[in-house]
Amino acid sequence: MALYTCLLFFFLLFLHARQSTASGGSWSVLVPSIGISAMHMQLLPNDRVVMYDRTDFGISNISLPEGKCRPNSTDCSAHSVEYDVATNSIRPLMVLTNVWCSSGTLMRDGTLVQTGGFDDGYRVVRTYKSCDSCDWQETPNGLSKSRWYATNHILPDGKQIIIGGRKAFSYEFYPKMSATENTPSLPFLVQTNDPQAENNLYPFVFLYPDGNLFIFANNRAILFDYSNNLVLKTYPTMPGGQPRNYPSTGSAVLLPLKIKGETVNEIEVLVCGGAPKGAFFNANKGIFNGALDTCGRIKISDSNPQWLMETMPLARVMGDMLLLPNGHVLIINGASAGVAGWELGRNPVLSPVAYRPDNEVGSRFEVQNPSTIPRVYHSTTVLLRDGRVLVGGSNPHDKYQFTNDVLYPTELSLETFSPTYLDSNSSDLRPKIILPVTSSKVRYGKQLVIVFTVSGVVDPSLVKVTMVAPSFNTHSFSMNQRLLVLDGGKASKIIGRSRYQIIVSAPPSGNIAPAGNYLLFVVHKEIPSPGIWVQMEQ
């Protein structure tokens, strides 16, 4: 018996060591300083990325152009920038009102619509349409209610819904039909609000393929008919009942939607990390509880859905979860103790973790190579068209703190993480899309012929086509994030030695893929091509 116990101990130790050993991916610093701390981030369909922090951090490290200053202010520095991926260059932008802890959505035409913020920005709507000389446009009182720490989602009709926010237990739409449009209440946000701790800000919101919304806040979720203000289903509380939303900040993704015909048969959500009950109060007293190391996965399309709990190799609070083109999930950024808030996080987690949703339980997580730069509170990440992951931000202080006399100084750098699929030893497996050309229009339900090249040997049965919606990222949640696996047959060789085609069906409806811009990838043996932009339309 003693021998058995000893062998079991060493076997478990071996398994832990396997999960905790970094296995892949590489890091590269793109820009040592973009001048601001990237608290909010959105990829645009011209391969530029808009970033901003807040207007009351102090003087940033990048000036507004042509000697401009914000109106009624002595601050002549920028608090928003546009990063051009192609030229690796930064252009300062001017926000007029406070965008701190706001939310946003990329609209059908590629305009970023950003809503809410703090103080003079509570009810402001701001729009940004990218061009070489464009800047933010602001609409005062564009919202019916103050929205701070809210979540936005694009809807099938082209509007966006704005849900919740601090002391805002309601939702509203933008654009509005009229100035008197009502703001329906959402009692679920009252029910999930922990006294003095909240733990339900920036709720996790996903568009269900029937057009309703899945909303997760704190430790539980509902399926919500926003048109009729009706809760259609209440999901079980996640086992353990630990909070997963701000300030006990975890993250969540809607796992890849595999389209078959005109439907998606299985719809699953994955929620990972966070902080235990009481961690917010303890952190404010200087006691930093360890972050949660669990994920909950639930098949929300089941008639009797239940949570499946899994254990991550690294505990994490304030982490981000990003869908990669091959359908894997990257868990990145964050800390292993404390909560979100000023000076409330400790022990940065430098290593990302890859999660492979189609693997068997127990073999889904894999630790990746670490960064050297802490990315704690107010860090961000988005997927780029070439498959790299852009990472920026980190400022756990209520002002800019650039010196090393504080824990985790304000981070101004921009770096990329290149997943293992970008390794040079995979280059002969990597597809390159020839047709359609980028910016092509794709119509619902129509056949889509994709021509691509691969220099090495192709396994036609291991080729798939995915579409990824570019998400708005802030505070550990990527709004509007979804990945579609298109329905189609095997790839077949056509002209020449290395040219192939695959015929797939475009998404069947706006409930599954709201109209707008998507990144389209061909994936071969889990190695994605560089993406192309396509625009879904009727």
Side-chain angles (χ1 to χ4, degrees):
M1 186 67 180
L3 177 62
Y4 171 80
T5 303
C6 185
L7 289 173
L8 180 61
F9 170 78
F10 282 109
F11 176 69
L12 292 174
L13 194 65
F14 169 72
L15 285 181
H16 177 76
R18 283 187 64 194
Q19 285 203 321
S20 300
T21 302
S23 65
S26 61
W27 291 86
S28 177
V29 174
L30 298 177
V31 185
S33 173
I34 62 171
I36 68 166
S37 188
M39 187 191 299
H40 312 75
M41 189 180 282
Q42 171 75 60
L43 175 68
L44 304 174
N46 60 356
D47 291 324
R48 298 180 183 181
V49 182
V50 171
M51 293 168 272
Y52 57 89
D53 50 25
R54 54 184 280 202
T55 58
D56 56 352
F57 259 161
I59 305 300
S60 77
N61 276 14
I62 183 170
S63 298
L64 288 166
E66 302 170 358
K68 293 179 182 176
C69 301
R70 285 176 46 238
N72 305 313
S73 173
T74 58
D75 184 359
C76 303
S77 67
H79 296 282
S80 177
V81 299
E82 182 181 61
Y83 171 67
D84 188 326
V85 176
T87 62
N88 197 41
S89 60
I90 296 292
R91 186 171 71 89
L93 304 174
M94 183 162 66
V95 285
L96 302 177
T97 52
N98 202 337
V99 289
W100 175 30
C101 299
S102 55
S103 48
T105 293
L106 192 68
M107 303 302 275
R108 288 180 177 180
D109 66 351
T111 298
L112 173 59
V113 173
Q114 182 273 334
T115 56
F118 178 67
D119 197 21
D120 62 351
Y122 277 137
R123 294 178 56 199
V124 176
V125 173
R126 306 166 194 84
T127 59
Y128 181 75
K129 179 76 170 178
S130 181
C131 72
D132 289 344
S133 59
C134 293
D135 214 331
W136 287 99
Q137 305 298 313
E138 305 205 5
T139 304
N141 301 317
L143 298 176
S144 301
K145 299 286 185 182
S146 297
R147 300 290 173 186
W148 190 29
Y149 300 91
T151 295
N152 297 19
H153 205 297
I154 192 74
L155 297 173
D157 65 2
K159 291 183 182 180
Q160 61 176 298
I161 189 170
I162 304 109
I163 298 175
R166 179 158 284 165
K167 299 179 180 178
F169 308 115
S170 60
Y171 61 97
E172 59 183 289
F173 303 94
Y174 191 86
K176 299 192 177 302
M177 298 295 289
S178 70
T180 58
E181 188 172 307
N182 69 336
T183 304
S185 64
L186 185 52
F188 176 68
L189 296 177
V190 178
Q191 297 158 10
T192 53
N193 184 65
D194 289 343
Q196 280 84 54
E198 298 170 305
N199 285 330
N200 70 343
L201 299 181
Y202 282 121
F204 306 143
V205 178
F206 302 111
L207 179 66
Y208 197 90
D210 66 358
N212 295 304
L213 294 176
F214 174 89
I215 304 175
F216 182 101
N218 196 323
N219 54 20
R220 52 199 185 274
I222 57 172
L223 186 64
F224 186 62
D225 177 352
Y226 56 85
S227 298
N228 297 300
N229 194 23
L230 184 66
V231 174
L232 302 176
K233 181 182 288 188
T234 299
Y235 294 93
T237 299
M238 188 181 289
Q242 301 286 16
R244 306 282 177 164
N245 291 87
Y246 185 94
S248 298
T249 303
S251 190
V253 291
L254 179 69
L255 289 176
L257 298 174
K258 299 174 182 178
I259 304 171
K260 296 296 179 185
E262 296 189 357
T263 63
V264 178
N265 294 323
E266 294 185 349
I267 303 112
E268 292 186 272
V269 169
L270 181 70
V271 180
C272 291
K277 293 177 182 177
F280 176 71
F281 300 110
N282 286 339
N284 278 282
K285 298 179 212 174
I287 302 167
F288 302 100
N289 297 113
L292 301 178
D293 66 355
T294 54
C295 293
R297 180 168 169 170
I298 187 169
K299 194 174 293 184
I300 61 176
S301 53
D302 275 3
S303 58
N304 182 30
Q306 300 296 321
W307 290 98
L308 168 69
M309 301 305 293
E310 301 182 67
T311 301
M312 296 187 289
L314 301 169
R316 198 179 303 251
V317 63
M318 297 178 285
D320 286 284
M321 296 174 67
L322 198 65
L323 291 167
L324 299 178
N326 58 6
H328 298 172
V329 180
L330 187 70
I331 307 170
I332 194 169
N333 298 337
S336 62
V339 296
W342 306 133
E343 322 296 341
L344 298 183
R346 293 293 186 274
N347 306 331
V349 182
L350 299 175
S351 294
V353 170
Y355 178 87
R356 293 167 172 78
D358 292 337
N359 282 14
E360 294 296 321
V361 175
S363 62
R364 290 173 174 166
F365 294 100
E366 186 176 69
V367 178
Q368 306 295 289
N369 287 322
S371 173
T372 59
I373 301 173
R375 302 285 183 181
V376 287
Y377 187 41
H378 290 148
S379 299
T380 47
T381 185
V382 295
L383 176 70
L384 298 179
R385 183 172 60 84
D386 59 15
R388 292 178 299 163
V389 174
L390 187 68
V391 180
S394 186
N395 187 19
H397 317 289
D398 66 353
K399 301 295 179 190
Y400 292 122
Q401 296 282 354
F402 300 124
T403 60
N404 288 323
D405 57 356
V406 295
L407 274 176
Y408 323 127
T410 302
E411 186 55 60
L412 304 180
S413 68
L414 204 59
E415 61 182 335
T416 54
F417 175 73
S418 295
T420 53
Y421 55 63
L422 292 173
D423 290 352
S424 58
N425 58 13
S426 299
S427 58
D428 65 333
L429 299 176
R430 184 170 299 116
K432 180 182 179 182
I433 298 173
I434 306 299
L435 292 172
V437 297
T438 196
S439 302
S440 293
K441 298 185 186 304
V442 176
R443 299 188 181 277
Y444 289 111
K446 301 297 183 182
Q447 278 197 338
L448 181 61
V449 178
I450 300 169
V451 178
F452 63 96
T453 60
V454 177
S455 62
V457 177
V458 171
D459 184 339
S461 66
L462 295 178
V463 176
K464 62 185 177 183
V465 178
T466 63
M467 286 173 53
V468 181
S471 53
F472 178 93
N473 178 260
T474 190
H475 289 76
S476 300
F477 185 57
S478 292
M479 303 174 195
N480 304 294
Q481 182 173 216
R482 70 203 290 113
L483 184 149
L484 311 169
V485 182
L486 301 188
D487 191 15
K490 294 181 180 179
S492 59
K493 186 176 289 190
I494 49 172
I495 303 166
R497 193 176 58 172
S498 60
R499 185 168 288 203
Y500 300 82
Q501 77 172 20
I502 185 169
I503 301 174
V504 295
S505 297
S509 73
N511 287 344
I512 291 174
N517 294 279
Y518 290 79
L519 288 168
L520 184 142
F521 299 89
V522 173
V523 181
H524 172 233
K525 294 185 176 179
E526 305 301 326
I527 309 296
S529 67
I532 62 168
W533 287 103
V534 296
Q535 188 165 31
M536 283 300 312
E537 61 177 32
Q538 296 286 354

